[in-house]
Amino acid sequence: MTGSDERHRRNSNEFTESSPLLPEERPRRPSHRPTLSVTSITSVHVPKVHSGRTIVNLLCVISFIVSCSNGFTVIPETRILEDVVCRKYYGLTESTGVPIDEQLCKENAIQEKVAFIIAIQSSVDAIVGFLAALPWGLAADRIGRKPVFVLNLLGILINISWSMVVLYFHTVFPTELIWLGSAGLLVGGGNAVLTGIILSMTSDATNEEERAVAFMRLHVASLCGTLGSPAVASAMMEKLGPWPPVWAANFVVIIGAIAFLFVPETLKHRHTQDENVPEPEDPEAENVGLKSKASHVIARFKESLSILSSASLILLLLACLGTTPVLYGTYQFMAQFISKRYHIKLSQTGYVQTIYGVAQVVQALIVLPWIARYVMKSTTPARLRASDEHHRDLSIARWSLGFLVLGIFVLGISPTLAGFIFGLILMAIGSCFSSLIRSLLSLYVDPEHRSRLFSMVGMVEVIGSIYAQPFLAGLFALGMNLGDGWIGLPYFGLSILVTVTGSLLFFVRVPKEVNPSPDHENGRPQE
């Protein structure tokens, strides 16, 4: 009895002497919580000294750098692949390091194989990127955008490097092994995740008033890099050959990864909400929660389908199926087509792509703003005047469709390079077609559901990426076999495809209510 009283007295003294006066203000952290981890570093260390404008400026620079890497590889890789296929066609097994005369490589059989190798590679890239986008998107939301972005660039570097290794040692490896380079996109998720991270960080760093301008600056920076770098690559190819631009592309990707290290993490963790949520004390329970995230996302995706009750919204989504093939038709495929039809070197086709890029920039910064202001003026003829901004966007999108289809048709029918360039200028006038579709899509859902909507747009565009290159390559092979003017068949088919998908715009109706209101149900404006 005495020993029990002694123990009770000792425990009571220890509690009163060692415990703080206000224990509720300084709770002890659980002993099992790690002191250092990737998650804790990326979620807690958020620099506050950088302004949103500084972050957007850095992202514009990085977007320009990464876009340049694409432009540096497209034309040189096409020329290297053409040379390898050409050597195998003529039975030349030795590798002298000097490319074969390019004019000897314009045989229909050689061009057909080159087109199909590029087409399958593009389709596999799209499929792998589509499968990898979801898990890496979840990772970016959990551990932060910066580590996923750097890993993404590493995957792109692996993709480019593997293709170059296969082509450089073409006497050892079959040419078709370049398709395995798509596995590199499993690291980071590919271009879809790359674009999503940049847009997410821009949204995090800007408010509603600044966001539209920031997105436009990012678009112009990416456009300048994508369509300006082919001219630089062409100049390098003419003086140094096709390999130096490819190695320069790898170097540019590394520079982009290093530059991204200077961008502060923008992922905002909701500490205020998490304070009232008890932390799991069992690590296995936390692992179970991580495993359930994938099923949770799938459930959210099924829930997102509920926003597709508007007929006009569905028509706009279907119209997006024609936008990606247009992009592919003015990129790598166009270089091969111009070289084959107009008998010019691949190294000179980059200048044509740059002309198209300059025309697009002029259209986006000068022509489109002027037209947008003109159709809203009271002095504009009634047949051309728009009643509000939303009907204006729909009207301009329809007119853009007409210029786009006409320009694509001119590409196919033109017997001279000058006529082909004129067709590109017509296409540039209608190049706002894709952007206007996105603007119109946002009218049919409230802001809380728009990220889900644009995720669906991305999925539709991935579907377009899967079939775009095989579609063009198949028509290209058929046109070469038919001969004469039928070589323009890829662009004839593309003009028909864009006409069919774009004509859905004439059945679209602008919703009566656009701004959020109590009448909205399930995130949809009333039509």
Side-chain angles (χ1 to χ4, degrees):
M1 186 70 176
T2 306
S4 176
D5 294 340
E6 179 66 22
R7 285 193 302 270
H8 176 74
R9 185 170 56 254
R10 184 169 60 251
N11 292 339
S12 178
N13 292 337
E14 288 177 355
F15 175 81
T16 57
E17 292 177 2
S18 61
S19 60
L21 294 176
L22 299 174
E24 67 277 8
E25 293 187 2
R26 300 189 61 184
R28 291 185 179 182
R29 300 181 62 85
S31 59
H32 72 273
R33 184 175 178 84
T35 57
L36 183 64
S37 67
V38 175
T39 304
S40 62
I41 292 175
T42 56
S43 63
V44 174
H45 181 64
V46 181
K48 303 295 184 180
V49 295
H50 296 82
S51 65
R53 180 175 299 180
T54 302
I55 294 176
V56 172
N57 289 338
L58 288 172
L59 291 176
C60 286
V61 173
I62 294 169
S63 180
F64 174 79
I65 292 174
V66 175
S67 299
C68 284
S69 68
N70 294 329
F72 278 131
T73 58
V74 169
I75 298 176
E77 182 182 5
T78 304
R79 175 65 188 114
I80 294 170
L81 177 61
E82 182 186 69
D83 182 73
V84 171
V85 174
C86 189
R87 287 178 182 276
K88 294 184 177 182
Y89 178 80
Y90 289 109
L92 302 177
T93 56
E94 72 281 357
S95 180
T96 62
V98 179
I100 298 179
D101 183 5
E102 192 170 335
Q103 293 304 319
L104 298 176
C105 301
K106 302 306 177 184
E107 295 291 331
N108 290 351
I110 297 174
Q111 294 300 311
E112 181 177 341
K113 185 171 184 179
V114 170
F116 275 109
I117 289 176
I118 294 175
I120 295 177
Q121 182 183 21
S122 174
S123 297
V124 175
D125 284 349
I127 294 172
V128 173
F130 178 78
L131 296 176
L134 177 60
W136 282 109
L138 291 173
D141 287 338
R142 179 164 181 81
I143 67 175
R145 287 79 152 90
K146 290 184 67 174
V148 174
F149 189 93
V150 175
L151 288 173
N152 192 292
L153 293 183
L154 175 62
I156 293 175
L157 188 62
I158 294 173
N159 187 8
I160 298 174
S161 300
W162 172 254
S163 298
M164 294 305 101
V165 167
V166 172
L167 294 177
Y168 189 83
F169 297 102
H170 61 86
T171 58
V172 179
F173 299 110
T175 309
E176 290 77 9
L177 280 183
I178 66 172
W179 299 334
L180 295 180
S182 300
L185 301 180
L186 292 174
V187 180
N191 289 330
V193 176
L194 192 73
T195 303
I197 290 177
I198 292 179
L199 294 178
S200 297
M201 295 187 74
T202 303
S203 297
D204 293 342
T206 56
N207 54 37
E208 292 289 343
E209 292 76 14
E210 300 171 341
R211 196 160 297 153
V213 176
F215 283 162
M216 183 176 181
R217 291 173 59 193
L218 282 172
H219 174 70
V220 173
S222 177
L223 190 64
C224 291
T226 301
L227 298 173
S229 54
V232 179
S234 292
M236 294 178 65
M237 287 178 64
E238 290 182 340
K239 293 184 178 181
L240 304 174
W243 283 103
V246 176
W247 304 129
N250 289 339
F251 179 74
V252 166
V253 172
I254 296 174
I255 293 297
I258 294 175
F260 199 78
L261 297 178
F262 294 93
V263 181
E265 179 60 72
T266 63
L267 181 61
K268 297 181 177 65
H269 293 274
R270 300 180 180 179
H271 299 292
T272 56
Q273 296 180 7
D274 295 341
E275 287 176 354
N276 298 325
V277 179
E279 297 181 359
E281 298 185 1
D282 186 3
E284 295 182 359
E286 186 175 357
N287 292 333
V288 172
L290 290 175
K291 293 179 181 179
S292 66
K293 281 185 175 294
S295 59
H296 174 70
V297 171
I298 294 175
R300 290 287 299 273
F301 173 73
K302 293 180 180 179
E303 179 187 350
S304 299
L305 295 178
S306 63
I307 68 176
L308 298 180
S309 65
S310 169
S312 294
L313 177 61
I314 296 175
L315 292 176
L316 289 171
L317 282 174
L318 293 176
C320 293
L321 287 171
T323 59
T324 306
V326 172
L327 177 63
Y328 280 93
T330 56
Y331 203 43
Q332 190 167 11
F333 174 79
M334 186 175 75
Q336 183 184 3
F337 180 87
I338 293 174
S339 179
K340 166 65 177 177
R341 183 171 191 176
Y342 302 114
H343 308 289
I344 63 175
K345 294 182 178 181
L346 275 168
S347 60
Q348 298 173 340
T349 60
Y351 302 117
V352 178
Q353 289 187 336
T354 298
I355 292 174
Y356 178 59
V358 171
Q360 280 188 300
V361 172
V362 171
Q363 187 272 347
L365 299 181
I366 300 177
V367 178
L368 181 60
W370 179 84
I371 294 176
R373 290 192 300 267
Y374 176 77
V375 297
M376 294 298 294
K377 290 182 178 179
S378 59
T379 57
T380 302
R383 294 180 59 184
L384 301 177
R385 187 168 61 248
S387 58
D388 54 46
E389 291 82 358
H390 310 307
H391 287 87
R392 174 200 64 190
D393 291 348
L394 179 59
S395 178
I396 295 178
R398 290 169 176 171
W399 280 100
S400 298
L401 171 67
F403 280 102
L404 193 62
V405 171
L406 179 61
I408 296 173
F409 184 78
V410 171
L411 298 186
I413 202 173
S414 176
T416 64
L417 182 60
F420 190 91
I421 293 175
F422 175 72
L424 288 176
I425 294 175
L426 290 177
M427 286 185 64
I429 297 175
S431 61
C432 62
F433 175 74
S434 177
S435 299
L436 289 172
I437 287 181
R438 286 175 170 80
S439 176
L440 291 168
L441 281 167
S442 64
L443 303 180
Y444 297 87
V445 296
D446 59 30
E448 295 180 356
H449 294 78
R450 284 176 187 168
S451 52
R452 300 186 193 181
L453 172 65
F454 287 116
S455 296
M456 293 183 184
V457 174
M459 296 176 65
V460 172
E461 290 180 342
V462 168
I463 295 174
S465 300
I466 293 174
Y467 77 82
Q469 282 280 31
F471 172 78
L472 294 171
L475 292 179
F476 186 45
L478 179 60
M480 287 188 295
N481 292 331
L482 294 175
D484 297 330
W486 287 107
I487 193 174
L489 189 60
Y491 290 106
F492 296 150
L494 184 59
S495 64
I496 295 175
L497 174 65
V498 176
T499 300
V500 172
T501 57
S503 62
L504 298 176
L505 287 178
F506 293 93
F507 300 94
V508 171
R509 297 293 178 265
V510 175
K512 296 178 181 179
E513 296 182 9
V514 175
N515 295 325
S517 70
D519 296 332
H520 288 193
E521 298 178 0
N522 298 327
R524 299 184 300 271
Q526 302 296 319
E527 290 190 82

